[in-house]
Amino acid sequence: MGRLKTLLGVTAVAHVALAWLVSLDAKKRGDDAGRWIALTLLTGVVGAAKYVRDGR
C-alpha cells in the first residue's frame, strides 16, 4: 500500500507540474489556458502532448 501511495503522489505532482508549465506557455501565447490546464491535470503527459501538437 505504501508504494501505491508514493506512485499516486508522484503522478499527482507530475500532473500539476505539467499543467503549470502548459498554463504558463498558453498565457504567453494568448491561448485559453483553462481548458488546457484541465486536460493536462486529467490526462498528464497525453494532455501536454496534445497542447504542444495543437499549438504549432
Side-chain angles (χ1 to χ4, degrees):
M1 192 65 153
R3 287 185 182 180
L4 180 59
K5 283 184 180 180
T6 301
L7 177 64
L8 291 175
V10 169
T11 301
V13 168
H15 283 222
V16 169
L18 284 171
W20 177 68
L21 292 171
V22 164
S23 74
L24 290 178
D25 191 66
K27 287 176 186 174
K28 196 178 347 179
R29 290 183 184 186
D31 200 356
D32 177 21
R35 72 180 177 129
W36 290 113
I37 292 169
L39 182 66
T40 305
L41 282 172
L42 290 172
T43 63
V45 173
V46 173
K50 183 161 175 48
Y51 169 75
V52 169
R53 186 186 62 147
D54 288 355
R56 293 183 183 212

